[in-house]
Amino acid sequence: MCGIVGCVAKEDCYGKLLSALEKLEYRGYDSAGIALLSAGGKIAVRKKKGAVANLFGAPVAGSAGIGHTRWATHGKPSDENAHPHVAGKFALVHNGIVENFAALKAELCAAGETFASETDSEVIVKLIARLYRGDFFGAVQAACERLEGAYAVAVLCEDFPDEIVCAKRRSPLIAGAGCGAAYVCSDVPALCGAAAFVCPVEDGEFVHIRGCEICFKRADGSAVPKVFCRLAEEEKGAERAAGSRMEAEIAEIPRGLSRTLGWLRACDFAPAARALRGAGRLFTVACGTAHHAALAFGNLLAREARIPVLCETASEFRYGDPLIGAGDVLVAVSQSGETADTLEAVRLARERGAYVIAVTNAEHSTLARLADLPLRTLAGAEVAVAATKSYNCQLLALYYLAAQTVFFKRAAFPAWFPALEGAAPACERAFGCFEQVADLAERLREKPAMYYIGRGTDRFTAAEGALKVREIAYLFAESCPAGELKHGTLALVEEGFPVFAVATARALAAKTANSLAEAKARGAFTALFSQEDFAGGADFSCRLPALPEALMPLVSVIPLQYFACRMCLLRGFDPDRPRNLAKSVTVE
Ligand code: G6P
């Protein structure tokens, strides 16, 4: 959801900005731009509709610069709407949404300003230029006081070579220090290989870079002392040998699971014991794929720990006036740890006194910092927009948490707990079905729609499988509990319509087979994903590696992830950059 970067470096500032922008591109890829401030005090801008690669060419000179990769909110993707935006002596990049931009724009127009773009962001730089009286920091600070909504901005001023002023409210921002370079950036992985130390910026804080010095400031200009931490190895993304990022990230699932398990084993759950033992209710909040992981967790925990678990999609949680309060536990799940809806739900739960556990893949994220107990997944940086390895790692962390909760309530771990050790090898074995799944995709490549069904926990895997196909193959794919098929969806089934069933719960497998048979009787093409070879006569059958039933979602999703990826590639699309979507959704 837009990525911003700022860099001050004597050597190759342009190259450093481009390299960070390429790594930030998963946050938005409608357009990209760079502004550099030369030693002579002139700002040069290069910006274009489309990918960061469009900015390649002769380097722009300068030792202080800012860059942006855009996911359009206000104004279509175009050269004009691309950032940086310029006003007078200033250039600015922005991630977020200025909610009062229409009122501010009207005020500025009345004062004689004209606008080159349709963006809300241009309003900020116009404000800064109008408020400027020779004090760079003061002008940025005064402009931010007028803004409502979310922003992370980085600003250049022609009067101050080698300086960048940044401000942050509700959009992520990280400061980084590298060899001969100082950075600000929307996220940590984009600084891998460039910065050795990083420090997150908190809401309401400003960062003032002068040469290699990085100073955190309050609104009144006073300094905020900060401690930078070393950038960890696991923040790096999957090495891509050939093919798409998404394929590389699926291949990384076993490694991510092993690392996540190692981290969880060393984690001290004791401080959370009281909250978990006494929890009246447990809530989960998450979006997209993370919500499917949370649903699987909620289903398992309610059965095993016998406590009510309410799983809500984060964007709905806060508007439903939830019955959450002191004594309750909220589990928030988010790969990026920056999804705006999830963060707002967490803030509400905290205000009402709930204990917050976060499961996130980003150590320095806002979510990790908001939580009472941050649990990490170590999937490594995930760049493809459609989540894969992070989902498997979320499931693992959530199962681990479920086991701890059961232990705190009943003084015994669930029987499946030791089998978590076998999750990574089981996932590795699941890769054995890829050839078969690739053939299935080939067979179904012309189909315009498909349906996924499952019972019990399998219905969440089915939902995730359908989401993957929608996200990257642009096909209409939906899911429903298998038993619901005959209550409406069956009407869609006609000759050759694909129906996929996930059936890993033995007690329910026969019933799911019945649902599949009902679809087949009406002409459906049926595909079955199960660890058992139960009779059902499906047109396609994929045998999954076996784990204890409770843990099967860890492996059963893998062929579905791969199927979506194959469908996408066969249909000629880029799985890493689906149209209209962004990986980190930092606006509500
Ligand atoms: C976006 C991404 C999804 C992701 C969701 C939640 O919609 O495209 O892949 O599942 O956000 O992201 P989070 O970072 O909170 O897990």
Side-chain angles (χ1 to χ4, degrees), residues 501 503 506 508-518 520 526-541 543:
R506 283 183 193 87
L508 304 173
K511 288 191 189 301
T512 301
N514 288 345
S515 304
L516 212 52
E518 285 158 16
K520 194 172 160 65
T526 54
L528 177 69
F529 297 82
S530 175
Q531 77 280 38
E532 308 267 331
D533 204 6
F534 67 81
D539 298 304
F540 170 90
S541 177
R543 182 79 83 90

Short mmCIF file of all heavy atoms in Angstrom, two decimals, residues 501 503 506 508-518 520 526-541 543:
data_model
loop_
_atom_site.label_atom_id
_atom_site.label_comp_id
_atom_site.label_asym_id
_atom_site.label_seq_id
_atom_site.Cartn_x
_atom_site.Cartn_y
_atom_site.Cartn_z
N ALA A 501 -12.89 -30.61 -3.16
CA ALA A 501 -13.21 -30.90 -1.75
C ALA A 501 -11.93 -31.19 -0.97
O ALA A 501 -11.08 -31.95 -1.43
CB ALA A 501 -14.13 -32.11 -1.67
N ALA A 503 -10.84 -32.94 2.39
CA ALA A 503 -11.47 -33.87 3.35
C ALA A 503 -10.38 -34.57 4.15
O ALA A 503 -9.89 -35.62 3.75
CB ALA A 503 -12.33 -34.88 2.61
N ARG A 506 -11.34 -37.52 9.40
CA ARG A 506 -11.86 -38.87 9.06
C ARG A 506 -13.35 -39.01 9.36
O ARG A 506 -14.11 -39.54 8.56
CB ARG A 506 -11.08 -39.92 9.83
CG ARG A 506 -9.72 -40.16 9.21
CD ARG A 506 -8.94 -41.26 9.90
NE ARG A 506 -7.55 -41.18 9.44
CZ ARG A 506 -6.63 -40.42 10.01
NH1 ARG A 506 -6.92 -39.69 11.07
NH2 ARG A 506 -5.41 -40.38 9.53
N LEU A 508 -15.61 -36.98 9.18
CA LEU A 508 -16.48 -36.19 8.29
C LEU A 508 -16.26 -36.54 6.83
O LEU A 508 -16.98 -36.07 5.95
CB LEU A 508 -16.21 -34.69 8.49
CG LEU A 508 -16.37 -34.18 9.93
CD1 LEU A 508 -15.91 -32.73 10.01
CD2 LEU A 508 -17.83 -34.28 10.36
N ALA A 509 -15.24 -37.38 6.57
CA ALA A 509 -14.84 -37.63 5.19
C ALA A 509 -15.97 -38.25 4.37
O ALA A 509 -16.21 -37.86 3.23
CB ALA A 509 -13.61 -38.54 5.16
N ALA A 510 -16.69 -39.19 4.96
CA ALA A 510 -17.76 -39.85 4.21
C ALA A 510 -18.84 -38.84 3.82
O ALA A 510 -19.38 -38.88 2.71
CB ALA A 510 -18.36 -40.96 5.06
N LYS A 511 -19.11 -37.90 4.74
CA LYS A 511 -20.14 -36.89 4.45
C LYS A 511 -19.66 -35.96 3.33
O LYS A 511 -20.43 -35.56 2.46
CB LYS A 511 -20.46 -36.09 5.70
CG LYS A 511 -21.25 -36.88 6.72
CD LYS A 511 -21.76 -35.96 7.82
CE LYS A 511 -22.38 -36.74 8.97
NZ LYS A 511 -23.50 -37.58 8.57
N THR A 512 -18.38 -35.60 3.39
CA THR A 512 -17.86 -34.74 2.32
C THR A 512 -17.90 -35.48 0.99
O THR A 512 -18.23 -34.89 -0.04
CB THR A 512 -16.42 -34.29 2.67
OG1 THR A 512 -16.47 -33.61 3.91
CG2 THR A 512 -15.85 -33.36 1.61
N ALA A 513 -17.60 -36.80 1.04
CA ALA A 513 -17.67 -37.61 -0.19
C ALA A 513 -19.08 -37.56 -0.75
O ALA A 513 -19.28 -37.48 -1.97
CB ALA A 513 -17.24 -39.04 0.11
N ASN A 514 -20.07 -37.59 0.14
CA ASN A 514 -21.47 -37.51 -0.31
C ASN A 514 -21.72 -36.19 -1.04
O ASN A 514 -22.36 -36.16 -2.10
CB ASN A 514 -22.44 -37.59 0.87
CG ASN A 514 -22.48 -38.98 1.46
OD1 ASN A 514 -22.01 -39.93 0.81
ND2 ASN A 514 -23.00 -39.11 2.66
N SER A 515 -21.21 -35.10 -0.46
CA SER A 515 -21.43 -33.78 -1.08
C SER A 515 -20.80 -33.76 -2.46
O SER A 515 -21.37 -33.21 -3.41
CB SER A 515 -20.82 -32.66 -0.22
OG SER A 515 -21.33 -32.72 1.08
N LEU A 516 -19.60 -34.35 -2.53
CA LEU A 516 -18.89 -34.36 -3.82
C LEU A 516 -19.67 -35.21 -4.83
O LEU A 516 -19.79 -34.84 -6.01
CB LEU A 516 -17.48 -34.93 -3.60
CG LEU A 516 -16.37 -34.39 -4.48
CD1 LEU A 516 -16.31 -32.88 -4.45
CD2 LEU A 516 -15.03 -34.96 -4.03
N ALA A 517 -20.21 -36.35 -4.34
CA ALA A 517 -20.97 -37.23 -5.23
C ALA A 517 -22.22 -36.49 -5.74
O ALA A 517 -22.60 -36.64 -6.91
CB ALA A 517 -21.36 -38.50 -4.48
N GLU A 518 -22.85 -35.69 -4.86
CA GLU A 518 -24.04 -34.93 -5.28
C GLU A 518 -23.69 -33.95 -6.40
O GLU A 518 -24.45 -33.76 -7.35
CB GLU A 518 -24.61 -34.15 -4.09
CG GLU A 518 -25.36 -35.04 -3.10
CD GLU A 518 -25.47 -34.41 -1.71
OE1 GLU A 518 -25.24 -33.19 -1.58
OE2 GLU A 518 -25.77 -35.15 -0.75
N LYS A 520 -21.09 -34.32 -8.45
CA LYS A 520 -20.72 -35.12 -9.63
C LYS A 520 -21.97 -35.61 -10.37
O LYS A 520 -22.02 -35.62 -11.61
CB LYS A 520 -19.86 -36.30 -9.18
CG LYS A 520 -19.14 -37.02 -10.33
CD LYS A 520 -18.17 -38.03 -9.74
CE LYS A 520 -17.76 -39.10 -10.72
NZ LYS A 520 -17.01 -38.64 -11.86
N THR A 526 -15.01 -33.22 -10.28
CA THR A 526 -14.72 -33.22 -8.84
C THR A 526 -13.26 -33.56 -8.55
O THR A 526 -12.68 -34.43 -9.19
CB THR A 526 -15.63 -34.23 -8.10
OG1 THR A 526 -15.48 -35.51 -8.72
CG2 THR A 526 -17.08 -33.80 -8.16
N ALA A 527 -12.69 -32.83 -7.59
CA ALA A 527 -11.30 -33.06 -7.18
C ALA A 527 -11.28 -33.21 -5.67
O ALA A 527 -11.90 -32.41 -4.95
CB ALA A 527 -10.43 -31.89 -7.61
N LEU A 528 -10.54 -34.20 -5.20
CA LEU A 528 -10.51 -34.50 -3.78
C LEU A 528 -9.08 -34.38 -3.24
O LEU A 528 -8.15 -34.91 -3.84
CB LEU A 528 -11.02 -35.93 -3.56
CG LEU A 528 -10.99 -36.45 -2.13
CD1 LEU A 528 -12.01 -35.72 -1.27
CD2 LEU A 528 -11.26 -37.95 -2.10
N PHE A 529 -8.94 -33.72 -2.10
CA PHE A 529 -7.63 -33.56 -1.44
C PHE A 529 -7.76 -34.17 -0.05
O PHE A 529 -8.46 -33.63 0.81
CB PHE A 529 -7.25 -32.08 -1.36
CG PHE A 529 -7.10 -31.46 -2.72
CD1 PHE A 529 -8.22 -31.01 -3.43
CD2 PHE A 529 -5.85 -31.33 -3.30
CE1 PHE A 529 -8.08 -30.46 -4.70
CE2 PHE A 529 -5.71 -30.78 -4.58
CZ PHE A 529 -6.83 -30.35 -5.26
N SER A 530 -7.09 -35.29 0.16
CA SER A 530 -7.26 -36.01 1.43
C SER A 530 -6.02 -36.87 1.70
O SER A 530 -5.30 -37.24 0.77
CB SER A 530 -8.50 -36.90 1.35
OG SER A 530 -8.60 -37.68 2.51
N GLN A 531 -5.82 -37.21 2.98
CA GLN A 531 -4.73 -38.13 3.31
C GLN A 531 -5.19 -39.58 3.20
O GLN A 531 -4.39 -40.50 3.27
CB GLN A 531 -4.14 -37.82 4.70
CG GLN A 531 -4.94 -38.27 5.91
CD GLN A 531 -6.09 -37.32 6.23
OE1 GLN A 531 -6.74 -36.77 5.36
NE2 GLN A 531 -6.34 -37.13 7.51
N GLU A 532 -6.50 -39.77 3.06
CA GLU A 532 -7.08 -41.12 2.96
C GLU A 532 -7.54 -41.33 1.53
O GLU A 532 -7.93 -40.37 0.85
CB GLU A 532 -8.33 -41.22 3.85
CG GLU A 532 -8.12 -40.80 5.27
CD GLU A 532 -7.77 -41.95 6.16
OE1 GLU A 532 -8.21 -43.07 5.84
OE2 GLU A 532 -7.04 -41.74 7.15
N ASP A 533 -7.60 -42.58 1.12
CA ASP A 533 -8.09 -42.84 -0.21
C ASP A 533 -9.53 -43.32 -0.11
O ASP A 533 -9.86 -44.42 -0.51
CB ASP A 533 -7.21 -43.92 -0.88
CG ASP A 533 -7.30 -43.81 -2.39
OD1 ASP A 533 -7.94 -42.85 -2.86
OD2 ASP A 533 -6.75 -44.69 -3.06
N PHE A 534 -10.38 -42.49 0.53
CA PHE A 534 -11.74 -43.00 0.75
C PHE A 534 -12.53 -42.99 -0.56
O PHE A 534 -12.31 -42.17 -1.44
CB PHE A 534 -12.45 -42.25 1.87
CG PHE A 534 -12.75 -40.82 1.59
CD1 PHE A 534 -13.85 -40.46 0.82
CD2 PHE A 534 -11.95 -39.81 2.12
CE1 PHE A 534 -14.14 -39.14 0.59
CE2 PHE A 534 -12.24 -38.50 1.88
CZ PHE A 534 -13.33 -38.16 1.10
N ALA A 535 -13.45 -43.94 -0.63
CA ALA A 535 -14.21 -44.11 -1.88
C ALA A 535 -15.06 -42.87 -2.13
O ALA A 535 -15.62 -42.29 -1.25
CB ALA A 535 -15.08 -45.33 -1.76
N GLY A 536 -15.14 -42.45 -3.32
CA GLY A 536 -15.96 -41.29 -3.65
C GLY A 536 -16.01 -41.12 -5.15
O GLY A 536 -16.88 -40.45 -5.68
N GLY A 537 -15.06 -41.77 -5.81
CA GLY A 537 -15.06 -41.71 -7.27
C GLY A 537 -14.83 -40.34 -7.83
O GLY A 537 -15.42 -39.99 -8.85
N ALA A 538 -13.99 -39.54 -7.15
CA ALA A 538 -13.72 -38.19 -7.67
C ALA A 538 -12.94 -38.29 -8.98
O ALA A 538 -12.20 -39.24 -9.21
CB ALA A 538 -12.93 -37.40 -6.64
N ASP A 539 -13.10 -37.27 -9.83
CA ASP A 539 -12.39 -37.26 -11.11
C ASP A 539 -10.88 -37.07 -10.92
O ASP A 539 -10.09 -37.45 -11.78
CB ASP A 539 -12.92 -36.11 -11.99
CG ASP A 539 -14.39 -36.30 -12.29
OD1 ASP A 539 -14.74 -37.37 -12.82
OD2 ASP A 539 -15.20 -35.40 -11.95
N PHE A 540 -10.53 -36.43 -9.82
CA PHE A 540 -9.11 -36.18 -9.53
C PHE A 540 -8.94 -36.42 -8.04
O PHE A 540 -9.76 -35.98 -7.23
CB PHE A 540 -8.75 -34.73 -9.88
CG PHE A 540 -7.40 -34.32 -9.39
CD1 PHE A 540 -6.27 -34.49 -10.19
CD2 PHE A 540 -7.23 -33.76 -8.12
CE1 PHE A 540 -5.02 -34.10 -9.74
CE2 PHE A 540 -5.98 -33.37 -7.67
CZ PHE A 540 -4.88 -33.54 -8.48
N SER A 541 -7.85 -37.09 -7.67
CA SER A 541 -7.63 -37.33 -6.25
C SER A 541 -6.16 -37.08 -5.90
O SER A 541 -5.27 -37.59 -6.56
CB SER A 541 -8.03 -38.77 -5.92
OG SER A 541 -7.76 -39.01 -4.57
N ARG A 543 -3.44 -37.37 -2.87
CA ARG A 543 -3.19 -37.97 -1.56
C ARG A 543 -2.19 -37.10 -0.79
O ARG A 543 -1.06 -36.92 -1.24
CB ARG A 543 -2.66 -39.39 -1.74
CG ARG A 543 -2.41 -40.14 -0.44
CD ARG A 543 -3.71 -40.69 0.15
NE ARG A 543 -4.06 -41.95 -0.46
CZ ARG A 543 -3.65 -43.14 0.01
NH1 ARG A 543 -2.93 -43.22 1.09
NH2 ARG A 543 -4.00 -44.24 -0.61
#
